[in-house]
Amino acid sequence: MSRFSRRALLLASLSGSILSSSPLLAQEAAETGYDDEIVVTAQKREENLQNVPISIQALSTRKLDQLNITNFEDFSKLLPSVSFQSSQPGVTTVYMRGVASGGDGNHSGSLPSVGVYLDEQPVTTIGGTLDVHVYDIARIESLAGPQGTLYGASSQAGTIRIITNKPSTAGFEGRVDGEVNSVKSGGIGGRVEGMINAPISDMAALRVVGWYQRNAGYIDNVAGTRSFLPTPGGITVNNADFVEKDFNDAKVYGGRAALKVDLDDNWTVTPTLLYQKQTSSGVFSQDPLVGDLQTQRFNPDQRSDKFIQAALTIEGKLGNFDITYAGAYLDRKTYQINDYTDYAEAYDALYASSGGLAGYFYFEDSAGNDIDPRQYIVGTDHFRKTSQELRIASPQDERFRVVAGLFYQRQSNEIHQDYKVDGLAPALSVNGLPGTLWLTEQKRVDKDYAAFGEASFDILPNLTLTGGGRYYKFDNSLIGFFGFGRNPAGPPFNGAGSSRTGVAGCYTTTGAILRDNPGGTLLPAAVPGGPCTNLADFVGGELVPKRTKDEGFTHKLNLTWKPNEDLMTYATWSRGFRPGGINRRATIAPYAADFLTNYELGIKSTLADGRVRLNAAIYQQHWKSFQFSFLGANSFTEIHNGPNARIRGIEADINIRATEGLTITAAASYTNAKTRNNLCAIDDPTFACTDAGNSIAAPAGTRLPVTPKFNGNATMRYVFPVGSGEMHLQSVIAHRGSASSDIRVAQAAELGRIRGSTTVDFAVGYDFGKFSLEAFLENAFDERAELARSSNCGQCNGRVQILVNQPRTIGLRAGTKF
């Protein structure tokens, strides 16, 4: 059966199930999975989802458990307004509503445009989204559109909130869950999770959660060779030492502890501690030049990502006003080693007219012999983040109500990227680091300050006007080293033969750079581990970080009309922003903040005596001078402000309690995101796209990358009594349309489109007493869904890497509560 026929049959079957379930006249089963009322805190208050004038989707505890959601990839496919770019577990950049220019997520790239919160604390980092293991979670809230007044800088396009279950003094409880699974064309995986809630007294309780998960590999590293010029006479290498089946396995383990103490009837203190470590081997993408679920790697590929967060939330009352303090400290360390042979292969072909790498570069040992030019990268990032928020909220039942607060955040990243060529002569390496062709050793610090507030006034009992604003100030800096070494006896000055990039650009004691003052004395490295400093400003005889800072104001205006208890409509005008920053290459100017203005109409309705919940929104967004990241010279990330873009879209979700025991949910989005102006290949306001030496990288009207035009999903669950327990049948279908892989037309053509896909999951289970048992089949038709397309360097588009989903997986899970 063809893919098209299979999808058509599946969709038709699902539609038939929906139609045959009408009329909606049955009683509710005890455990249908339908959430009669979902309470969210999207507006910093507890409110019924249907009363919040925001386009928001919420996945409750029950839904997360039923759908076996454990990580970001799992829940993102149920949020049609969310898209992402990823290369492996823990390396993910999130987008919402098509606000994506591609290329983000570098360790010194643009800040994210989507904020991620764990409870009250932001956990968005410079390097991407923390992939927090999902277990014992109260709900996940997805807030689409700018949330810049209450959530700030990294919530330009939306916010995702992960809300944990809190300690309870009501009584002792616990649960244990386990799973074992088998992946087609792969290995065996599984997980074990557990939770205990223990009251300590009438005023205090402790909740402890732990997890261990192993994901089976399914990508094979197969045998291959690479030959380098000249031909004949060049070097040929093979990867025999690294051939391995299912080499992309991953493990994650960690725990979370929360202590809730009621100081009195009005004040509560909740300290929490979260630790998680994720390790992975291999790569999670396939090489279409090699084969399905296959690649060829010539060096080890490994990654470790561990983080710990300590947080404190204090909630209380002063008179009738609610006071909340939320503070957190996050420490995240990543280590990775990656094969970079694709770079050597691409540049060997690029310089073929000069004899390849052997003729153009100086990849030689100390005796002057040509060496194996393969490269690999050893990289570490050390993120630290401190956030503090203090806010006050007036009584929620008053006609006029206010939420206001102050916010401070400081985050830093110590960046280390070592590009190694084994055997490279010390004189041709970065000074003091034999075998290092290129080094990045930098420290980045981003600071944010804000004062915010929202006020709502009930013009009529069913008509409310809300206005909000946020004054913000950011101060971002970067200092350190990047580039090649410099051989005092050169030329050649280094393995690349470069006389300008690297040590040659470092500052001397006079403030001049070395290439302009060859006999000068280099200043000590400002960042430990580097040979010197070439990314800084020389001020008053000292090196200080390059800095960019600015301040401004974002707004929100909303009008909500609720003609009856079951219907609400709203109109919103809001604005979000993302701070500017410093480019890692000293010769490139800083990039400025970009802004997103949103115009939105929405409706929320509860129909058929509460058995149907239908919500929808239509919007238009203007994205001004969006930040655009790409791999420039030396495959070094550059960030520029591009043209403007306009994004129009519709999103909707429906929840149906159809018959006794049968629930159906569905969600979909349509996004039309296009540039309004030309994107020039060279970013220079004095240098038009059509001038000689420049070109149009993307003409006006080019679709923004990553986000498909259409995303949708549907879930059907049927629960019925069997003996002393209940059995359930469940199916989930998720469709993602195709999308461009790059905003630049030529590069997008080389990489190819991210192909659309439809996946289907099935599950059958039985709950009896305090026990549960379920068999499941995920990706039942073994769809090879493409999640991203990329290449390893700016010249490597001839060897595309396609990140794919996990093949068909069958498994069994069991759990008990006590």
Side-chain angles (χ1 to χ4, degrees), residues 441 479-481 522-533 543:
E441 200 75 51
I479 189 171
F481 174 83
L522 289 172
L523 285 167
V527 178
C532 50
T533 303
L543 295 177

Side-chain angles (χ1 to χ4, degrees), residues 467-481:
R470 189 181 188 98
Y471 165 79
Y472 66 85
K473 180 179 180 180
F474 66 83
D475 184 352
N476 300 340
S477 64
L478 188 63
I479 189 171
F481 174 83

